[in-house]
């Protein structure tokens, strides 16, 4: 496999976080989740974290300039030189254009934009049952992907929590933001022949297999 530079597109709850950890581990590249970077900044209580929280708690996207500074800093770290997988970025056209320019300036190209497709009614149910391990970013579902011990992370045993923004009214706001600002990115990557669409209504193992198969021709 050559250098992989991937990004995952998909509505909140489509399985981006789960799949990005699996794919990145297999490919030996870092998984970079802007949502995780944001949650860490909020947990640390930094000034930037407080600004992020004003948006995330309402289900709104954080302004592009804040996200771009954070992503460019992360992509400049040495572990990204042999490839990376972006989860939850880009989410707007200006973010996609900035990423394209950033890569072009370094004579790099994206390998593929993988879109995980899941209908809205499934997403609301997934979010309601989603549980999250703050230190690792691993996620579970009380019914569809339960941890070995109820309420505990499989690896560290720490308590799982529900994300503040997984409450139903916030999930609906996040889905609206997606429709308004992010949905068009499928076309952005389709016209560049980079879009790979995968049906995300299946077990994590099956979705992972589908993504691996869909990526075979390009990786
Ligand atoms: P996620 O974990 O990807 O669902 O992200 C959680 C929240 O962080 C989102 O609802 C947004 O408020 C914010 N966020 C994450 N990534 C981005 C991004 N690329 N652009 C703007 N806001 C983002």
């Amino acid at each position: 496999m050559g250098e992989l530079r991937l990004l995952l597109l998909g509505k909140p709850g489509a399985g981006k976080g789960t799949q990005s950890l699996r794919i990145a581990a297999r490919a030996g590249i870092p998984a970079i989740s802007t949502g995780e970077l944001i949650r860490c900044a909020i947990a640390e209580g930094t000034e930037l974290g407080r600004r992020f929280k004003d948006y995330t708690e309402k289900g709104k996207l954080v302004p592009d300039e804040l996200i771009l500074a954070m992503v460019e800093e992360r992509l400049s770290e040495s572990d990204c030189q042999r490839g990376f997988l972006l989860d939850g970025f880009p989410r707007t056209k200006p973010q996609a254009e900035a990423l394209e320019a950033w890569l072009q300036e370094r004579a790099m190209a994206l390998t593929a934009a993988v879109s995980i497709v899941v209908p809205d009614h499934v997403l609301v149910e997934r979010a309601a049952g989603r549980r999250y391990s703050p230190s690792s970013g691993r996620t579970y579902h009380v019914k569809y992907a339960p941890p070995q011990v109820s309420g505990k992370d499989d690896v560290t045993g720490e308590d799982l929590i529900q994300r503040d923004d997984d409450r139903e009214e916030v999930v609906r706001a996040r889905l609206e933001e997606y429709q308004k600002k992010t949905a068009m990115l499928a076309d952005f990557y389709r016209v560049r022949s980079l879009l790979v669409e995968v049906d995300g209504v299946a077990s994590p193992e099956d979705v992972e297999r589908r993504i691996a198969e869909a990526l075979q021709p390009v990786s």
Side-chain angles (χ1 to χ4, degrees):
M1 227 187 289
E3 289 177 13
L4 278 183
R5 292 188 193 88
L6 298 171
L7 59 87
L8 288 185
L9 295 173
K11 295 180 179 182
K16 297 190 297 295
T18 301
Q19 294 303 327
S20 76
L21 293 177
R22 287 168 176 255
I23 298 165
R26 217 163 32 149
I29 52 177
I32 300 168
S33 155
T34 43
E36 277 296 297
L37 293 173
I38 288 169
R39 280 186 287 282
C40 287
I42 293 175
E44 282 166 13
T46 59
E47 171 55 30
L48 194 58
R50 274 191 287 278
R51 288 174 72 187
F52 286 154
K53 195 164 181 220
D54 287 340
Y55 299 95
T56 59
E57 68 186 5
K58 297 188 189 80
K60 296 275 182 200
L61 291 186
V62 169
D64 290 335
E65 58 277 15
L66 296 183
I67 293 288
L68 286 172
M70 192 175 75
V71 170
E72 291 187 2
E73 194 182 312
R74 181 63 188 90
L75 288 181
S76 301
E77 286 176 28
S78 58
D79 63 336
C80 294
Q81 277 174 6
R82 311 280 313 156
F84 52 78
L85 192 165
L86 289 164
D87 158 18
F89 176 90
R91 262 176 154 105
T92 64
K93 188 161 180 239
Q95 290 180 16
E97 287 168 344
L99 175 65
E100 191 170 55
W102 190 93
L103 290 168
Q104 266 166 12
E105 280 163 23
R106 287 158 185 79
M108 292 175 177
L110 211 59
T111 312
V114 179
S115 174
I116 307 178
V117 182
V118 176
D120 284 7
H121 68 275
V122 178
L123 297 172
V124 174
E125 198 196 356
R126 281 190 184 178
R130 174 152 71 174
R131 297 295 178 271
Y132 160 72
S133 154
S135 69
S136 68
R138 270 186 292 275
T139 59
Y140 301 85
H141 189 282
V142 289
K143 194 158 121 200
Y144 303 121
Q148 284 155 17
V149 178
S150 172
K152 306 280 182 198
D153 181 66
D154 286 349
V155 178
T156 64
E158 73 179 322
D159 286 340
L160 302 177
I161 60 167
Q162 182 171 38
R163 276 170 49 176
D164 287 341
D165 60 351
D166 275 344
R167 283 172 293 125
E168 183 168 341
E169 68 277 16
V170 185
V171 173
R172 295 206 183 273
R174 289 162 66 201
L175 287 171
E176 266 175 44
E177 277 286 85
Y178 186 93
Q179 215 46 51
K180 257 195 303 192
K181 298 180 180 164
T182 311
M184 51 76 56
L185 290 185
D187 280 335
F188 183 95
Y189 290 111
R190 189 178 288 117
V191 301
R192 287 160 176 75
S193 302
L194 289 170
L195 186 71
V196 172
E197 283 184 298
V198 173
D199 175 3
V201 187
S203 68
E205 291 70 30
D206 284 344
V207 177
E208 184 183 359
R209 204 169 308 125
R210 288 175 191 174
I211 294 175
E213 281 167 11
L215 284 178
Q216 254 169 19
V218 289
S219 61

